[in-house]
Amino acid sequence: MSKTLLVTGAAGFIGVNFCNYWLGRYATDRIIGFDILSYAGNRHSLEQAELNDRFEFVAGDILDQTLIETLLRDQKVDDIVHFAAESHVDRSITAPDLFLETNIMGTHSLLKAARQVWLTEQADGRHRFHHVSTDEVYGTLAPQDPAFCETTAYQPNSPYSASKAASDHMVRAYHHTYGLDVTTSNCSNNYGPFHFPEKLIPLCIINILNGKALPIYGDGQQIRDWLYVEDHCRGIDLVLTNGRAGETYNIGGNNEKANIDLVNVLCKLVDEKFNNNPELKQRFPDAPAANQKTSDSLITYVSDRPGHDRRYAVDVSKAHSELGYEPKETFEKGLSKTLNWYLDNENWWRTVLDGSYREWIDEQYGS
Ligand code: NAD
Ligand code: TYD
C-alpha cells in the first residue's frame, strides 16, 4: 500500500539523500519534504526529488506545531521521518542555544503535533514517528572498549549530543506515556553526496581543490565509524518498515578510522585522480596536485575541539539480527564515489560556500 511520508530536514545532507532513495525505491509513495532552509538546507539539493510529482516541498519550522498538524491532516501523512536538527558540533560549542531550541523543542513540537492528529483526532493506529539520532549520545570510547550498543548508557559530551540525547528521551517518553508509535535510529558519522562543507570529509575535499589548509584537530587520532549515507538510508528504511515500536536501533558502517588516517587516504585519492585526469589541473590550479605537490602538504594541526570525543564505534548486531541490516559500501569505494560527486558538482558546493557559511569558516580558519 502506498504511503505519504513527512520528511523533516529534507533539504539537509541526509534528508536529500533519503528523499532520493525513497522516491527511487517506492514507486507510488509520496513525500512532503519539510525544511526551514537554514544555512545547512539547500533547496537546490532537492532538484532531483522535485522533478518527481510524488514530491512536494514545504518551507517551514518544526517549531510551528499548527503548520505541522495541518500537514499531517491535509496531506494524510502516514509516517514522519525526522531529520531536522542543528547538526554541527563546532557550532554547538560556539552557539548552543539554537541547538536546544531546534533539537529539543523542535522535536517536542513535532511529537505534540503527531499526538494531537494521530492519537487524539484519528486514533487509527497506523502511524509511525521515526526519529533520526546519533551515536554521539553515548559519549566517548577508550581504545579497547566494546562498540556502543542500544543499552550503552547515555553520556553526551557536547551541547549538540546533549540536545540530541534530550530529544531521544522525549521520543521515548511519548511512546511510553501516550502510546505514540515511535522508532529511533542512532547512527555513526555519515559521508557522501550533498554533505555540507563544514564537516570533515567535504571540507577537506574542497580545501584540497582550493589549495587551502586541512585543519586537523589535536593529534588527529580521534576515531569515527564512517557510514556511507545510502547505507544509512537503507537502515532507516528497515527500521521504519520493520522495526518494533518503541525500540532504538544503532546504524553504523563497521568502519572505524582515525581522522588523520582518513585525511591521508583522501589526499592520496585526490592526487591519483589528478594524475589520471590532467583536465583537473586546469579546473583546480590551486590544488597541490596541479603544482607538483602532494595534497597531504596541506595538513595542518590546529588546536583541539573542546571536549572532543576520542572514539565512536557502533555495534549493529541488533539491527542486523532483527532487520537484516548491514552496511554494503566499502570505505574505499564510498570515499571515491564521494570525491567524484564533489568533482562533478562544483556548482553545488560553490553555491553553498557563497552563503553565510563562508564568513563563518573564514573566521575559524582564515580565508
Ligand atoms: P544537516 O545539518 O545537513 O541538515 C539539517 C536540516 O534540518 C537542514 O536542511 C536544516 O535547514 C533543517 N532544519 C534545521 N532547523 C530546522 C527547523 N527548525 N525546522 C525545519 N527544518 C530545520 O544535517 P544532516 O547531516 O542531514 O543530519 C540529519 C539528522 O541526522 C540530524 O538529526 C542529525 O542529528 C542526524 N545525524 C547526522 C549524522 C551525520 O553524520 N551527518 C550522524 C548522526 C546523526
Ligand atoms: P565532524 O565532521 O565535524 O563530525 P562529528 O564532530 O559529528 O564527529 O568531525 C569529524 C571528526 O573530524 C571529528 O573528530 C572532528 C574532526 N575534525 C577535524 O579534525 N578538523 C575539522 O576541520 C573538522 C570539521 C573536524
Side-chain angles (χ1 to χ4, degrees):
M1 214 180 64
S2 304
K3 276 188 177 196
T4 297
L5 303 187
L6 175 67
V7 176
T8 73
F13 162 45
I14 308 175
V16 167
N17 281 284
F18 181 80
C19 291
N20 292 340
Y21 164 89
W22 198 274
L23 291 167
R25 178 162 164 80
Y26 296 101
T28 55
D29 282 6
R30 291 174 60 235
I31 290 184
I32 313 298
F34 187 85
D35 202 292
I36 201 170
L37 298 176
S38 74
Y39 80 94
N42 193 335
R43 182 92 187 252
H44 181 53
S45 307
L46 285 166
E47 236 166 33
Q48 186 187 327
E50 297 213 52
L51 287 174
N52 199 313
D53 60 9
R54 293 178 290 113
F55 180 85
E56 186 181 331
F57 181 75
V58 177
D61 189 339
I62 51 169
L63 280 146
D64 186 345
Q65 190 187 333
T66 309
L67 173 57
I68 299 289
E69 285 180 14
T70 306
L71 287 172
L72 295 183
R73 275 185 215 106
D74 294 357
Q75 300 278 359
K76 301 193 174 26
V77 171
D78 293 290
D79 298 330
I80 294 174
V81 185
H82 174 36
F83 293 98
E86 287 297 325
S87 71
H88 188 36
V89 175
D90 293 327
R91 284 178 187 257
S92 84
I93 294 168
T94 46
D97 299 60
L98 187 57
F99 285 72
L100 274 65
E101 198 167 317
T102 304
N103 299 358
I104 306 175
M105 300 311 286
T107 300
H108 188 221
S109 156
L110 283 175
L111 289 165
K112 284 191 288 181
R115 181 185 169 211
Q116 169 62 28
V117 177
W118 289 348
L119 299 184
T120 308
E121 296 173 20
Q122 299 176 348
D124 57 10
R126 286 188 308 107
H127 306 282
R128 172 158 281 185
F129 183 111
H130 180 73
H131 176 56
V132 180
S133 191
T134 169
D135 61 355
E136 303 192 23
V137 297
Y138 300 118
T140 187
L141 293 168
Q144 305 310 323
D145 285 345
F148 301 130
C149 63
E150 289 78 358
T151 51
T152 302
Y154 273 32
Q155 287 187 317
N157 290 320
S158 72
Y160 162 68
S161 54
S163 67
K164 291 296 289 187
S167 68
D168 294 8
H169 294 322
M170 286 312 297
V171 171
R172 177 188 165 88
Y174 265 63
H175 176 68
H176 287 275
T177 306
Y178 304 114
L180 190 67
D181 183 324
V182 305
T183 44
T184 296
S185 49
N186 295 82
C187 70
S188 57
N189 286 64
N190 286 221
Y191 69 103
F194 297 104
H195 204 179
F196 193 78
E198 66 189 348
K199 305 286 173 82
L200 182 67
I201 291 179
L203 176 83
C204 287
I205 292 175
I206 292 170
N207 280 13
I208 294 172
L209 298 178
N210 289 330
K212 295 187 172 204
L214 308 180
I216 305 293
Y217 298 165
D219 63 3
Q221 293 301 330
Q222 304 84 4
I223 291 171
R224 298 293 181 262
D225 174 354
W226 292 95
L227 169 65
Y228 192 64
V229 65
E230 205 176 307
D231 280 331
H232 183 201
C233 294
R234 267 192 317 101
I236 293 173
D237 181 356
L238 290 167
V239 177
L240 183 67
T241 311
N242 297 320
R244 286 180 291 137
E247 290 292 316
T248 68
Y249 295 88
N250 283 351
I251 309 286
N254 288 341
N255 180 36
E256 288 184 57
K257 292 269 178 290
N259 292 338
I260 186 64
D261 297 339
L262 181 156
V263 171
N264 273 311
V265 171
L266 184 61
C267 287
K268 285 211 173 62
L269 205 58
V270 176
D271 293 346
E272 267 168 39
K273 296 248 187 239
F274 270 68
N275 284 337
N276 296 335
N277 183 357
E279 185 240 345
L280 289 175
K281 298 184 183 175
Q282 269 135 41
R283 279 179 60 202
F284 302 105
D286 296 325
N291 296 287
Q292 290 86 46
K293 289 190 192 138
T294 53
S295 299
D296 60 6
S297 60
L298 296 173
I299 289 176
T300 308
Y301 287 89
V302 299
S303 28
D304 207 353
R305 171 188 280 174
H308 198 171
D309 286 335
R310 199 69 185 161
R311 173 177 166 237
Y312 303 142
V314 164
D315 178 345
V316 300
S317 44
K318 179 177 174 185
H320 179 66
S321 62
E322 281 191 27
L323 308 171
Y325 168 77
E326 61 187 357
K328 287 190 175 155
E329 199 58 88
T330 62
F331 187 61
E332 291 65 30
K333 228 174 107 215
L335 198 60
S336 177
K337 275 160 75 170
T338 305
L339 173 57
N340 288 341
W341 188 87
Y342 281 85
L343 290 171
D344 294 344
N345 290 277
E346 186 182 349
N347 186 34
W348 180 87
W349 51 265
R350 288 216 184 275
T351 309
V352 167
L353 288 175
D354 281 344
S356 58
Y357 168 70
R358 184 67 261 160
E359 290 146 37
W360 184 81
I361 200 92
D362 284 349
E363 264 169 40
Q364 305 293 309
Y365 307 118
S367 47

